[in-house]
Amino acid sequence: MCLHIKTWKKRWFLFDMDHRRLAYYTDCDERKLKGVIYFQAIEEVYYDHLRTAASSPRPPLTFCVKTYDRLFFLVASNPVSMRIWMDVIVTATDEHCRY
């Protein structure tokens, strides 16, 4: 399966533990909230090893956050950052499931 994404748009993510969500913004100053991904809605976080995001600007740094109703493709700035984001999201999702 190959998923074609027409355009990639830059978003800035904020890990918001107080509200148990990932908030994403259209600007780096975090003034224009574009949307949120609640931890309770996250089903999976995984590396895009099948390259389903064929048009990714950086395929080796692309990972997926799957929710009940949407699949998000995120691109990290470097491999260490990708691993940290993935670990933090998985940990937050697991913590949420405990309560």
Side-chain angles (χ1 to χ4, degrees), residues 12-37:
W12 285 263
F13 280 77
L14 174 69
F15 181 82
D16 184 354
M17 194 61 184
D18 293 336
H19 295 102
R20 297 183 178 154
R21 68 184 188 179
L22 288 174
Y24 54 99
Y25 298 84
T26 57
D27 65 327
C28 64
D29 298 324
E30 300 169 5
R31 288 176 294 181
K32 299 175 187 171
L33 182 66
K34 179 67 176 170
V36 296
I37 305 171

Side-chain angles (χ1 to χ4, degrees), residues 22-93:
L22 288 174
Y24 54 99
Y25 298 84
T26 57
D27 65 327
C28 64
D29 298 324
E30 300 169 5
R31 288 176 294 181
K32 299 175 187 171
L33 182 66
K34 179 67 176 170
V36 296
I37 305 171
Y38 288 98
F39 298 154
Q40 68 192 35
I42 296 173
E43 294 179 329
E44 289 182 83
V45 178
Y46 57 93
Y47 174 67
D48 186 28
H49 65 280
L50 296 176
R51 302 286 195 260
T52 51
S55 65
S56 171
R58 290 182 288 210
L61 299 176
T62 303
F63 66 100
C64 307
V65 176
K66 182 181 178 199
T67 67
Y68 300 123
D69 58 354
R70 185 171 172 189
L71 179 59
F72 293 87
F73 292 97
L74 285 70
V75 179
S77 55
N78 58 62
V80 172
S81 179
M82 180 178 72
R83 187 76 252 161
I84 291 169
W85 272 103
M86 290 177 69
D87 288 347
V88 166
I89 295 168
V90 167
T91 301
T93 303

